[in-house]
Amino acid sequence: MYVGTLSFDLLLGDVHSLKEKRSVVRPIVAELQRKYAVSAAEVDHIDLHRRAIIGLAAVSGDAAHLTDVLDRCERLVAARPEIELLSVRRRFHGDDD
């Protein structure tokens, strides 16, 4: 069994309130969950209106498949024009850990 996690540090564009922030972050989280069947949520910077950390996790029996899913998730978030992806933190845990 392999477990992979990603943590996206995002700078949001023209956002001036927490309500506007939710309207940007929620669709990203929902699309990740729908397209790739991963667990995803906003996990940090909850009270800041121009910053967000989105975390996601996925489990697979195949390391190559898990790497592919994480790569696709990273490309999806990086391609969003309304945000700037500041950093991505990737962790990969296998049976040997």
Side-chain angles (χ1 to χ4, degrees):
M1 174 177 75
Y2 300 94
V3 179
T5 62
L6 290 174
S7 178
F8 300 104
D9 188 358
L10 309 176
L11 178 63
L12 308 178
D14 191 28
V15 173
H16 302 288
S17 70
L18 293 176
K19 185 176 180 180
E20 288 179 20
K21 175 185 179 176
R22 282 192 308 273
S23 72
V24 172
V25 173
R26 281 187 179 169
I28 296 170
V29 169
E31 187 174 7
L32 287 166
Q33 292 170 335
R34 186 182 76 252
K35 276 190 165 182
Y36 302 111
V38 296
S39 296
E42 182 181 0
V43 295
D44 202 359
H45 299 316
I46 305 295
D47 295 331
L48 301 176
H49 66 272
R50 292 210 55 221
R51 292 287 301 275
I53 303 268
I54 294 176
L56 72 79
V59 177
S60 178
D62 180 36
H65 173 71
L66 183 58
T67 300
D68 183 52
V69 169
L70 295 178
D71 289 344
R72 289 173 188 246
C73 289
E74 188 173 342
R75 284 193 299 269
L76 182 142
V77 173
R80 299 295 291 235
E82 68 273 17
I83 63 159
E84 181 180 340
L85 183 57
L86 299 176
S87 69
V88 179
R89 183 175 181 184
R90 180 182 293 225
R91 292 199 173 195
F92 197 87
H93 306 280
D95 287 333
D96 299 333
D97 293 343

